[in-house]
Amino acid sequence: MKYGLVLEGGAMRGMFTCGVLDVLMENGISFDGVVGVSAGAAFGCNYKSAQPGRAVRYNLRFCKDKRYCSLRSLITTGDMFGAKFCYHTVPNKLDIFDGETFAASPVDFYVVCTDVETGKGVYHKCKTAEYDELEWIRASASMPLASRIVEVGGRKLLDGGIADSIPLQFMEKTGYERNVVILTQPRDFRKKQSRILRPLRAAMGKKYPDFVKAFEERPKMYNSELKYVRNAEKDGRALVIAPDEKLPIGHIEHDPDVLLEVYRIGRNTAREHFEEIKRFTDR
C-alpha cells in the first residue's frame, strides 16, 4: 500500500502547512509521495529534501525584504514574489536547499500547475532541484495578475490551484491508496467567487479564455473537491488536517510575528492529531 501527502495552497496560509510538515518530519512520519499546489509546492519541497524548519526560517528572514515580496517587485519585475530571488537566489545562496538529498530521496514529489492555454491542470514530478525543476515549483505558486506566466516544459503555466486545488483524486489515480490531506482553510470553509475575476477577464480573457473560464469555475471545482475529500475521509482513504478556525493571515504578510503565529498553529494542530496521523500511516 502506498501512502501519499496532499498539500493545498493558499499563499502565506502555507505557514500552517509548514508547521504541520515540520512536526511530521521531526517525528519520522514517512510518505511514498507528495503532491503540492502553489504554496503547498513551494514549501512542501522541503519534506523531500528533509529540511524541517527551513521554510519558516527563510520566510521570517526575508518577509520584509522587497526582493522577496513587494509591490515594487511586481512593478519592476512583473512578479509580486520575486522570481529570481525567491526561487533561485534564496535556495542556491542564502538558505541552501539540499538538492542532493532531494534527488536521492525515494519520495515522489509532484507539483500542480495550470496551463493558461487550456485551463487544465498539469502534473509534474520533480526529480531534482535543477533550475527548470524549480521553475515548475514557481509556476505552481504564480498567482494570476500578481505573477508573469512561467514558460517551462514547453507550456505556459500559472497557479495550480486554478485547475486543481486539492489533488486527492490525482494521488489516488496515481496509486496512493491512503492520503493525508493538509488544508489551509477550516473544514467548514466554502469558496466564493474571487474579486479579481473582472480584472482577470480584462487582462487575459481575449488571449487565454480557457484559463479565465477555469478561474470563473474555480469555486464550483474547489467545493466539489472538498466534498470528495470528506467522503474519502469517511471511507478511511484519507485523513484531513486543517485549522480549527480561519487563519489570521492573508495572501501576503510582512509581519514575522504573524507568520510565526500561523506556523505555531500548524505545529499545534499536528501535535493534537499526531496519534491519529501515526495510526493512519502505520505500516
Side-chain angles (χ1 to χ4, degrees):
M1 182 176 291
K2 294 174 69 175
Y3 290 74
L5 185 59
V6 180
L7 309 177
E8 183 187 12
M12 298 319 296
R13 292 198 311 272
M15 296 309 298
F16 172 86
T17 302
C18 294
V20 176
L21 291 179
D22 282 357
V23 170
L24 299 183
M25 283 190 277
E26 290 161 6
N27 288 278
I29 301 296
S30 64
F31 297 89
D32 300 297
V34 180
V35 61
V37 182
S38 193
F43 300 152
C45 60
N46 294 287
Y47 178 87
K48 182 173 167 65
S49 66
Q51 292 179 278
R54 179 176 178 271
V56 66
R57 183 175 63 238
Y58 72 71
N59 273 285
L60 293 178
R61 179 180 174 186
F62 298 115
C63 63
K64 294 184 178 182
D65 193 315
K66 295 187 185 303
R67 297 170 297 173
Y68 187 70
C69 177
S70 66
L71 182 60
R72 186 175 78 178
S73 177
L74 178 62
I75 293 170
T76 59
T77 71
D79 295 295
M80 181 75 76
F81 288 87
K84 181 179 179 181
F85 186 77
C86 293
Y87 293 95
H88 300 288
T89 302
V90 170
N92 291 324
K93 296 180 180 180
L94 301 178
D95 196 315
I96 304 300
F97 183 68
D98 190 345
E100 290 187 7
T101 297
F102 183 92
S105 170
V107 177
D108 291 329
F109 184 75
Y110 303 90
V111 300
V112 185
C113 304
T114 302
D115 188 316
V116 299
E117 295 182 314
T118 67
K120 303 296 184 182
V122 179
Y123 305 85
H124 176 77
K125 183 193 289 189
C126 294
K127 298 180 180 179
T128 72
E130 298 299 323
Y131 184 92
D132 278 0
E133 299 290 70
L134 295 179
E135 286 291 275
W136 278 97
I137 295 174
R138 177 167 79 91
S140 180
S142 290
M143 298 178 290
L145 299 185
S147 310
R148 293 169 294 167
I149 292 171
V150 180
E151 297 191 32
V152 62
R155 297 176 181 269
K156 296 180 179 180
L157 306 168
L158 281 175
D159 185 355
I162 306 303
D164 192 352
S165 297
I166 313 170
L168 174 58
Q169 293 180 69
F170 163 77
M171 288 297 274
E172 291 184 337
K173 291 176 181 177
T174 308
Y176 298 90
E177 300 164 89
R178 288 170 69 84
N179 292 275
V180 173
V181 181
I182 302 178
L183 303 179
T184 59
Q185 295 280 16
R187 286 173 175 268
D188 61 356
F189 173 78
R190 298 296 178 268
K191 185 171 285 295
K192 298 179 181 179
Q193 190 54 260
S194 171
R195 291 176 294 179
I196 74 166
L197 177 58
R198 182 174 292 182
L200 186 70
R201 281 175 177 157
M204 301 182 69
K206 290 184 178 180
K207 192 169 185 180
Y208 302 112
D210 289 334
F211 177 78
V212 174
K213 183 179 180 181
F215 188 92
E216 185 174 0
E217 295 178 349
R218 187 185 184 192
K220 180 180 178 181
M221 174 273 295
Y222 184 94
N223 295 331
S224 176
E225 290 192 334
L226 279 178
K227 183 177 179 180
Y228 185 90
V229 169
R230 289 197 304 272
N231 289 334
E233 189 172 36
K234 290 178 182 177
D235 291 342
R237 307 190 323 267
L239 175 64
V240 176
I241 305 300
D244 293 331
E245 301 176 347
K246 180 178 175 62
L247 294 170
I249 196 168
H251 277 76
I252 296 170
E253 182 57 63
H254 300 293
D255 187 337
D257 291 335
V258 174
L259 293 169
L260 190 56
E261 174 61 18
V262 174
Y263 171 76
R264 287 172 174 162
I265 293 172
R267 289 191 65 92
N268 290 337
T269 302
R271 291 192 188 106
E272 290 169 6
H273 294 278
F274 183 75
E275 290 303 320
E276 190 179 3
I277 295 170
K278 189 176 179 180
R279 287 194 300 270
F280 185 82
T281 58
D282 184 19
R283 300 184 232 192

